[in-house]
Structure formats: C-alpha cells, structure tokens
C-alpha cells in the first residue's frame, strides 16, 4: 500500500467508526464517574500546579509509591492542608520515604505496606497493590484486621506479587482508570521504564486504562484493533494542543488516523529512521480515531491552567 | 547464544579492548580541549543550575534555537550578566524569540538567521548551522559581509539546508563535540524527536559527538562496532550514579557490556516486552565498554552540583 498524508482543516467532523476495540474519553478519564479509579504518585516533584487538588478529588483510591509520599507531603505548606489529602496507601521498599512523613501518614490512617523485593520497581508494586485493592477477595479484610508492624500479614519481600499471582487468573475485572503522576521527566531511565509499563500492563492487566500526566502532556498507549479518543468540544478548544504518535516499542505502521491535522494512512514510523509524527494535533471536533499495526504511544499536550474548568 | 547477566563488585578494573569504533571521555566531553565544540540551547527553561556558566565557558561556539534565546536571556538577572554570555547564533523560524530578546542580542553582535521552513525543526536547522560554521568554505565570510536585514544572503526559507546539501559531500571533517541543553523533559513528542535526532545524526553526520544534558542525566547514542566510555576516577566517584541502556530505536541485542554493576552478554532488550536495563550503574574504575547489535541510547545519571569541580 502507498503511504498517505492528508492535511486537514483546523476543525473537522469525524464519524465514529462502526468497530473499535478501545475507547477513551479524555475529560471523562480525568474525572471518572465511577469508583474504579486510582491516582498513583511516583517519586518526583509534583509539578502540575493547582489542578492537583481537583484531580485528587476526582479519583477514588490514592497511592504513593515510596518517596512519592514525600512529594505529596511537600506539596502542602502545613499539616492542616496535608490532612485533607491523605492517601489510602504508601507502598514500596520504603527506602526513600522520610521518617517524619511516614509518621504523619501512619497517624492519619494510611496503610503503609513494605515490599523489599529488588526484582520489581515501586511502580510495579503499586500496580499489584491497586489490582489487589479492587479485585482480591480478602485483601481489604487483611488490611482491616492487620497492622503496620506486622505488614498486615503480607510477606514483606514480595507478598503483593504472591497474592496477585495466586488469584489473578480467577478475577472477573472491570476497567480501572489509573492516572499516574511523575512517571515521566525524572531520571531518563525511569522515564523509559514508565514507557515499558504502558506496553507490559496492556498485556498482563488489560483492565487498566493507564495514563501519565506531566506538566505538559497526557501520555497513553494506543492499542491495536482500533482506538477511539473522544472529548468535549470545549475541552478540546481550551485544553488540547499538540500531539505525537510515538513508536517507542519499535518501528511499526500506522494503518490510519482520522481527526488529526495531518492524518496518515499506511504510514511507516520509526525512531531509528527519524520518521515520527510529532507536533501533530487533534482537529476532530469531538473525537479522533487510530488504527495501528502495533501498540504505540500517544502524547497529547494539555494546557493545565485551564484543565480545572473541564474536569 | 545463551543470555547472561553477571553482578559485579562496586569497583572493577576493566581492560580496554583492542578494538572499538567509538570512544567518548565523559569529563573530557564536558570540557573539550579543542575548538571543534559547540553548545546548543533549545527552547525549555535552563534547569542545570550554576554549572551552566562553567559549561558555557568550556565550549567554543554557542547557538540558541529560536526561543532558546529567551531561555538564555531569562537565565540571567540583568543585562550586565547577559552581556558576558552572548551566543554566536540565534537560528530558527524566529516565531518564539521575543522582540526585546532579539533586540538585545542583535545589539550585542549575534548573527540571527531566520529559516522559515516548516519541513525541519529548529533543532535540525541548528545542526545544519553548526556544520556550516565549522566546514562550509564561505559561510563565515557570508556572515561577516552580510547583515541581519538581508539574512546574510541566506535564503530565509531553507538556505542553511541548501548550503549544507551543496557542499556536504566534499567536506573533510573532524569530530565536533556538541552538547545540547533542553532536548529532553519538555513536551513529550519533542523529547522523542530529540531521541530520533541521536539516531539520524549518527548516520547523516557522523562527525557529531552529540550528547544531551538534563537536570539529571547525560544522554547519548551507543553506536555499533564497540563503544568505550572513559572517565576520571574522581569524576566517577562524585558525579556518576545510575545508568540505563535504552533500546528506543526498537528491540535489539546487547552483545556484551564490561564495567556495569550488572554486565550482560547476548541480552535481548525490548521496551515492548518490558526488558530494559535501567537502574544499572558504572563500576568500571575508569571505563566501561559496550558492544551492541543496533545503536541504543545510554543515559548516565550525573550529580550536577559536583560537576563544576571536574570539568
């Protein structure tokens, strides 16, 4: 097939396709209307400004990965404010969270779960924890009857992984909207680790709808089988700017896009060859559609200072 | 071949191999002892702290890509300080550089070259400019005899690309040490664009030794054919921390490494499969060696607040 690129007007009507395997509503994802939602904070400075408080209120379960608890603590000026934003969990090998921070959150009822295994990262441990929170038959009871000193009866090396493996195959799951802060823009190998998590989680735990929010972008995986991204018109106008289709898993083909400023068909894309659709943008009035041969990463530039008005 | 991973002690002596195609001395690269060196500033906030001034003095030619000039201007509190850090060039489509900034630098003798073409980025335009500065037979004379109002006689759409193409094949080149600031950690599609530049430049302009410095990392491409990374022992002790071997061009095989905490042999690596050597580190006393099937990206975590003492 011949490669094609079409330049569209700045706003076009995109007809929703008859078939697609995946749909994500952007402003809906940032303000879930159901309880299967979680906000995960990794160990970098929280740098999304004042919209953080609004986002916090939009998600049901809140998790800090190890030193992420320091960052939550430091985001607020005093304990009175901190006490209004208490996470449900702190998890990880606990080598980064500071003593005063741990004490404050323990006193405020946080479940702090130590997992010393060096065979997985704090990010992966957090994913296991969130899965167990929503789907493990006995997990919430273990937390209620246990305590921090006994690690809630959870093996303090890799107990979360053990519990997950023992039950995972039997779970009947619903989608979990999971927004992660601080996954990108820290140490560069950790940024790339976060990108690998998008790919691996899409295979091992398909129930996660996983996005990363940075000070500039919302970042997600576009799976195969057709992906529809929807949004309110006003949200698009005020919050969405540039986007990039990023073949970080390796060279692949974008079968077709509909609703981008530069729509492509049968378009070979490769970082090694320098052929990547960056500085593109959404022009579909209320949706865009992507059909890709292999999963690839979509980055959507967001104007954070207007975000609070639309989520 | 069978994959291997060996855990090394925290300091080992690595014998320099008999054959390698590429060598980079880390602290040498950050303080070049020759004139073929350039510092390029892209359009993000300069966030490397006080070591910026030291680095500036270490490089021969200084270039701001469009709005990068704003960032240089804003780094300093007043004009007296700015006047000590005047770049040689500002280049790009000039849609981002502010009027007062442009005026200040024009008054201070900067060559400001407009290139309106939307078929290449300000980063690519800067690379062309640096090549022309060092290798084009008439380029410096054009600048000297021309002026800003006439764009120095350079076609204001894509004149740099034209000049480059006309002469490139005849150049006898020496390596240019090029350090780029603000290539990473901005908009995510621009970060990925910067990564594509590592790959493409290594093919089209092999004379560039191209590294990106962020607030946390030094990032470069490891080419095929064997790459030796050397450094002073004290520099390693005080400045080098974690590292990552990042197959951002696609799945590949690391044939062997020598001098990492976790050395690998015949190790398949893939972002899509979640198999990436991150949170590794240098344990070779004064060098590490890499042999890779395809080029991949190396990130080296640096402690910036000690860097000034070693470069």
């Amino acid at each position: 097939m011949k490669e094609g690129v079409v330049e569209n007007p700045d706003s076009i009507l995109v007809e929703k396709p008859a078939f697609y395997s995946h749909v994500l509503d952007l402003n809906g994802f940032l303000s879930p209307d159901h309880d299967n939602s979680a906000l995960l904070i990794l160990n970098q400075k929280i740098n999304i400004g004042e919209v953080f408080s609004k986002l916090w209120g939009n998600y049901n379960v809140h998790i800090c990965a190890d030193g992420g608890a320091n960052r939550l603590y430091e985001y607020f000026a005093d304990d009175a404010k901190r006490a209004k934003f208490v996470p449900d969990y702190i998890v990880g090998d606990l080598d980064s969270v500071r003593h005063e921070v741990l004490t404050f959150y323990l006193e405020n009822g946080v479940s702090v779960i130590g997992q010393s295994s060096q065979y997985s990262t704090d990010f992966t441990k957090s994913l296991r924890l969130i899965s167990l929170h929503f789907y493990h038959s006995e997990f919430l009871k273990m937390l209620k009857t246990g305590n921090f000193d006994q690690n809630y009866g959870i093996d303090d090396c890799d107990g979360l992984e053990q519990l997950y493996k023992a039950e995972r195959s039997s779970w009947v799951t619903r989608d979990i909207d999971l927004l992660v802060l601080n996954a990108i823009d820290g140490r560069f190998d950790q940024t790339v680790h976060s990108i690998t998590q998008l790919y691996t989680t899409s295979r091992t735990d398909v129930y996660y709808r996983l996005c990363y929010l940075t000070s500039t972008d919302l970042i997600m995986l576009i799976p195969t089988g057709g992906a529809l991204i929807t949004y309110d018109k006003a949200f698009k106008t005020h919050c969405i700017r540039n986007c990039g289709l990023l073949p970080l898993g390796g060279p692949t083909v974008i079968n077709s896009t509909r609703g981008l400023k530069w729509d492509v068909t049968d378009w070979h894309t490769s970082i090694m060859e320098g052929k990547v659709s960056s500085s593109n943008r959404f022009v579909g009035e209320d949706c865009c559609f992507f059909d890709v041969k292999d999963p690839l990463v979509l980055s959507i530039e967001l104007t954070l200072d207007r975000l609070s008005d639309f989520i």
Side-chain angles (χ1 to χ4, degrees), chain A:
Chain A
M1 297 275 277
K2 196 168 172 300
E3 292 198 339
V5 179
V6 174
E7 182 171 350
N8 287 314
D10 284 340
S11 185
I12 63 173
L13 189 65
V14 174
E15 200 178 334
K16 290 189 175 59
F19 302 101
Y20 48 85
S21 68
H22 176 89
V23 61
L24 186 84
D25 184 65
L26 288 184
N27 40 311
F29 175 84
L30 293 169
S31 50
D33 59 359
H34 55 83
D35 284 344
N36 265 28
S37 66
L39 181 71
L40 170 60
I41 302 173
L42 302 182
N43 187 11
Q44 300 291 334
K45 189 177 179 193
I46 297 171
N47 65 350
I48 57 168
E50 294 182 7
V51 77
F52 174 74
S53 313
K54 182 81 181 273
L55 279 169
W56 178 281
N58 289 355
Y59 290 82
N60 180 28
V61 181
H62 305 88
I63 307 96
C64 293
D66 199 356
N70 300 336
R71 307 310 180 126
L72 177 64
Y73 185 90
E74 290 155 6
Y75 182 80
F76 299 104
D78 57 58
D79 283 356
K81 291 205 182 75
R82 281 175 200 127
K84 293 179 184 162
F85 295 84
V86 173
D88 300 276
Y89 299 102
I90 297 172
V91 66
D93 57 11
L94 307 183
D95 64 348
S96 299
V97 59
R98 296 202 315 273
H99 181 72
E100 66 173 310
V101 174
L102 201 60
T103 303
F104 175 82
Y105 286 122
L106 278 170
E107 285 173 357
N108 279 272
V110 175
S111 298
V112 179
I113 303 172
Q115 293 287 275
S116 63
S117 169
Q118 296 302 309
Y119 289 96
S120 69
T121 62
D122 289 332
F123 192 168
T124 312
K125 290 167 187 170
S126 302
L127 290 173
R128 294 293 176 264
L129 169 66
I130 298 165
S131 297
L132 294 170
H133 172 93
F134 284 109
Y135 296 122
H136 191 277
S137 53
E138 300 287 323
F139 189 69
L140 296 182
K141 202 203 278 180
M142 288 173 72
L143 294 177
K144 206 168 171 184
T145 56
N147 61 50
F148 171 64
D149 294 330
Q150 304 164 329
N151 210 39
Y152 312 90
I154 299 163
D155 181 294
D156 63 7
C157 177
D158 63 352
L160 295 177
E161 185 70 25
Q162 290 176 31
L163 289 168
Y164 169 85
K165 280 192 174 155
E167 278 208 359
R168 168 71 185 89
S169 60
S170 66
W171 291 342
V172 179
T173 56
R174 283 188 303 136
D175 284 352
I176 299 171
D177 284 345
L178 174 57
L179 182 68
V180 184
L181 303 182
N182 308 332
I184 305 287
D185 292 343
R187 228 174 67 202
F188 194 63
D189 59 334
Q190 292 181 333
T191 288
V192 174
H193 174 70
S194 297
I195 296 298
T196 70
Q197 288 282 7
L198 287 177
Y199 284 96
T200 54
T201 306
S202 75
R203 288 193 305 274
T204 59
D205 301 277
V206 290
Y207 49 85
Y208 277 118
R209 291 144 56 98
L210 175 59
C211 292
Y212 303 147
L213 184 67
T214 76
S215 63
T216 50
D217 293 277
L218 191 69
I219 297 168
M220 67 197 71
L221 199 74
I222 295 291
T224 55
L228 184 67
I229 306 289
T230 64
Y231 37 81
D232 286 350
K233 287 182 189 182
F235 178 78
K236 169 180 174 288
T237 304
H238 296 289
C239 297
I240 301 181
R241 299 185 63 191
N242 293 281
C243 73
L245 277 163
L246 312 171
L248 289 159
T252 186
V253 173
I254 303 172
N255 298 325
S256 70
T257 65
R258 272 180 266 164
L260 297 182
K261 179 68 184 173
W262 290 275
D263 268 334
V264 298
T265 46
D266 299 307
W267 201 72
H268 174 74
T269 178
S270 160
I271 286 175
M272 205 178 281
E273 293 166 39
K275 190 150 171 265
V276 172
S277 176
S278 58
S279 298
N280 207 330
R281 58 182 194 270
F282 284 19
V283 294
E285 270 187 16
D286 57 5
C287 71
C288 285
F289 176 71
F290 301 88
D291 178 18
V292 293
K293 184 169 172 243
D294 299 292
L296 50 68
V297 174
L298 173 67
S299 67
I300 304 170
E301 185 185 14
L302 293 184
T303 311
L304 290 193
D305 52 8
R306 291 301 308 276
L307 201 55
S308 285
D309 299 337
F310 299 96
I311 62 172

